[in-house]
Amino acid sequence: MTLQHHVLERAVDTEAAFLRLYGASTTAFWLDSEHVEPGLDRFSFLGDASGPLAEVVRYRVGSGAVSVHTRDGGVREEPGTILDYLAEALRTRYVALPEALPFDFAGGYVGYLGYEVKADCGGSAAHRAPAPDAQWVFADRMVVVDHLAGRTHLLALAGESGGGTARAWLRTTAAILETLPTWSNPLSITGAQDTTGLEEHLVRGRARYLRDIAGCRGALRAGESYEITLTDQLTFPAVTGGLDVYRTLRRANPAPYSAYLRFDDLEIACSSPERFLKIDRNRVVETKPIKGTARRDPDPIVDDRLRRALTEDPKTRAENVMIVDLLRNDLGRVCEIGSVRVRELLATETYSTLHQLVSTVRGTLRADIGVVDCLRACFPGGSMTGAPKIRTMQLIDALETRARGVYSGTIGFLGLGGTADLNIVIRTAVRYGGAWQIGAGGAIVLDSVAEAEYEEMLLKAAAVYRALATEPAGAAATAFEVPAAG
C-alpha cells in the first residue's frame, strides 16, 4: 500500500467536518483531542468505513472467531481472538510512517476493546455484555486536524491500482473542507456539579454499593488485594441520539482523550482524561494512570484548596503509587530491561469539572514485541482493576453483578507503522439496545471511607450524566451552519 497526503493550511472545525463528512455514516470515528491542556494531545482523527480498503471487525469473547465485514458487503469469519486478528492484520499491512508527518497515525485500525476482553488477557469470562466486546474499523481514509499548528491533513491509503481513486478523494474532500469554518475550541457548558437525579438510575444502588465496599475491605484485610476498583452503572432509556450527546459532552466535560464512535446501533460518547497506552514511532510506550479525583469549585480559593488537598492526601497518594507499581510491572514484561521509568509521579491535572492525580510511566518496547503484544500484556488498564491485577479482577467479578462492557476498556488507534494511542474508557456514555449506560467507580483501599467513596463515584458519573440531561437544541447546538451534502 502507498499513502497519499494533502495539507490544508488551516485547522478546520472538527465538529463541522464530522457532521458534514460522516454525520450519516453507519460506522464512523472521531478521536477528538482538542487542545484543552498545554502539553496534551493536539491531533483529532476523523473517518468512517466508506473507503475502498475499509473493513469492520466485530468480536465477542468466547466465540472463537472474529467477524470481518468488507467494503463490498462480504462477511467472513476468522478464527482466534480480536487481538490475534489485529496483530496479524497489522503485520501484513505494515506501512512505514513518513518522517515529515507530525503525528503517529497514517492509517490502521480505530475502535474499542470492552472490559470483558480481559478474558483473553489472563482474566475470566465472568459476565457477558449485551453489545460486542470489541469493534474496529480499518481506516484507509482520514481527516486529521492539528489544533496547535493550525493545519488539516488528508490521508488516503491506496492499493497497487488505487492511486487515482485516492487522489480523487483527496481533491473532493479538500473542496468540502474549504467551505467549513476554521477550528476553535467549543464554548464550554457550565453548570452545577451536583449529583441530583443520579441515584435512581444506579444498577446496584447505594445500599448494595456500600455493602460491596465492605466486601472489598474484607478482601483487603485478608491480604487478597492491595486496592480494588469497584464500579457501578447508571442505565436509562435512550431518547437523545449519540452524536447529539457527544456534542454536548465535549462542551460540558472537555478532555484530551475524548472520542465519538458509531458502529451501527452502538454509539460511544467518551470524554476521557486518561491515557492508557501510547506507542510512538520510536517504540517508546507511555501510560498515564489516574488515581485520585476531587471536584472543582467556582471560588478560586476553595478550588485551589481542593486541588492541594488532593495532592497531599496520603490515601490518594498511596492509591496512585500502587497502580504505578502495577503498570511498571506490566510494561516490564514487554520493554527493554532497565528502560521502564516513572517520568512524573503524582502530578495534578485540572479539567472543567474535576482535579485528577496523574502519574506518567514510560519504557521502550523490546525488538520482538509488537503493539498488540504490549496491549495484551497491559489490558485492562490497572487503574480500572486494582492490584494485584488477576486476583483483584476475580474479586471484582464476584462483587459486580453484570458486565462493564465498553466502560473500563479502551478506545483509540492501532497504526500500520507500529504505533498506538489508546485511552481508558471513563467519563463515557454508551448507547445500545435503546438504552444509555454510564459506568463510574473508584479505588477501595483499607483507609477508604465508604460514604466518601460512594459520593466520589456519583461525582464521576455526574459530568457525563449532565450531557444527557442537557437539551441538545440548547447549549449543544453549533454556532454555525453546516452546508448540506450534495
Side-chain angles (χ1 to χ4, degrees), residues 2 20 53 69 89 128 137 172 184 291 308 384 479:
T2 59
R20 177 66 176 84
L53 304 177
H69 301 249
R128 181 176 173 85
V137 57
T172 301
S184 62
K291 273 299 168 195
R308 285 187 286 106
M384 301 308 296

Side-chain angles (χ1 to χ4, degrees), residues 402-431:
R402 58 191 290 174
R404 292 184 180 181
V406 178
Y407 171 67
S408 296
T410 188
I411 291 170
F413 71 73
L414 302 170
L416 297 182
T419 60
D421 204 350
L422 302 157
N423 73 6
I424 294 286
V425 181
I426 54 176
R427 318 294 189 270
T428 297
V430 178
R431 185 179 189 266

Side-chain angles (χ1 to χ4, degrees), residues 355-471:
H355 299 292
Q356 309 262 213
L357 202 60
V358 185
S359 296
T360 302
V361 185
R362 292 187 191 135
T364 302
L365 292 182
R366 297 199 314 263
D368 62 327
I369 293 294
V371 62
V372 176
D373 297 320
C374 180
L375 176 54
R376 195 192 307 265
C378 297
F379 188 84
S383 63
M384 301 308 296
T385 63
K389 183 184 286 186
I390 298 299
R391 177 54 183 150
T392 302
M393 287 193 295
Q394 293 170 349
L395 295 169
I396 291 169
D397 289 341
L399 290 166
E400 296 182 359
T401 57
R402 58 191 290 174
R404 292 184 180 181
V406 178
Y407 171 67
S408 296
T410 188
I411 291 170
F413 71 73
L414 302 170
L416 297 182
T419 60
D421 204 350
L422 302 157
N423 73 6
I424 294 286
V425 181
I426 54 176
R427 318 294 189 270
T428 297
V430 178
R431 185 179 189 266
Y432 183 75
W436 281 106
Q437 175 181 309
I438 298 171
I444 310 302
V445 295
L446 278 174
D447 290 341
S448 291
V449 176
E451 287 286 354
E453 295 290 350
Y454 175 73
E455 291 299 327
E456 180 180 320
M457 179 269 291
L458 289 179
L459 176 65
K460 291 173 178 176
V464 182
Y465 179 78
R466 188 157 58 100
L468 280 92
T470 301
E471 288 293 331

Side-chain angles (χ1 to χ4, degrees), residues 196-239:
T196 303
L198 268 68
E199 291 185 280
E200 63 187 271
H201 300 294
L202 288 171
V203 170
R204 300 204 307 282
R206 179 180 180 277
R208 174 63 187 269
Y209 198 78
L210 295 178
R211 287 201 303 271
D212 289 341
I213 292 174
C216 289
R217 290 173 60 84
L220 294 167
R221 283 193 296 269
E224 296 187 72
S225 177
Y226 304 109
E227 177 178 353
I228 302 170
T229 299
L230 183 68
T231 77
D232 199 358
Q233 298 170 18
L234 288 73
T235 61
F236 37 87
V239 177

Side-chain angles (χ1 to χ4, degrees), residues 41-104:
D41 272 14
R42 73 191 222 196
F43 301 106
S44 291
F45 301 88
L46 299 81
D48 66 2
S50 64
L53 304 177
E55 64 181 30
V56 179
V57 184
R58 297 189 174 92
Y59 174 70
R60 283 189 177 274
V61 169
S63 64
V66 299
S67 176
V68 183
H69 301 249
T70 55
R71 179 69 180 85
D72 60 6
V75 181
R76 70 180 191 273
E77 298 292 314
E78 294 284 349
T81 70
I82 185 63
L83 295 177
D84 296 333
Y85 180 84
L86 291 172
E88 179 62 17
L90 292 169
R91 186 187 66 79
T92 58
R93 286 175 153 172
Y94 180 86
V95 176
L97 279 166
E99 290 186 9
L101 212 61
F103 43 86
D104 287 336

Side-chain angles (χ1 to χ4, degrees), residues 288-305:
K288 295 185 66 175
I290 291 175
K291 273 299 168 195
T293 302
R295 68 176 179 86
R296 299 293 309 279
D297 192 278
D299 184 329
I301 296 175
V302 175
D303 191 57
D304 185 62
R305 186 164 65 243

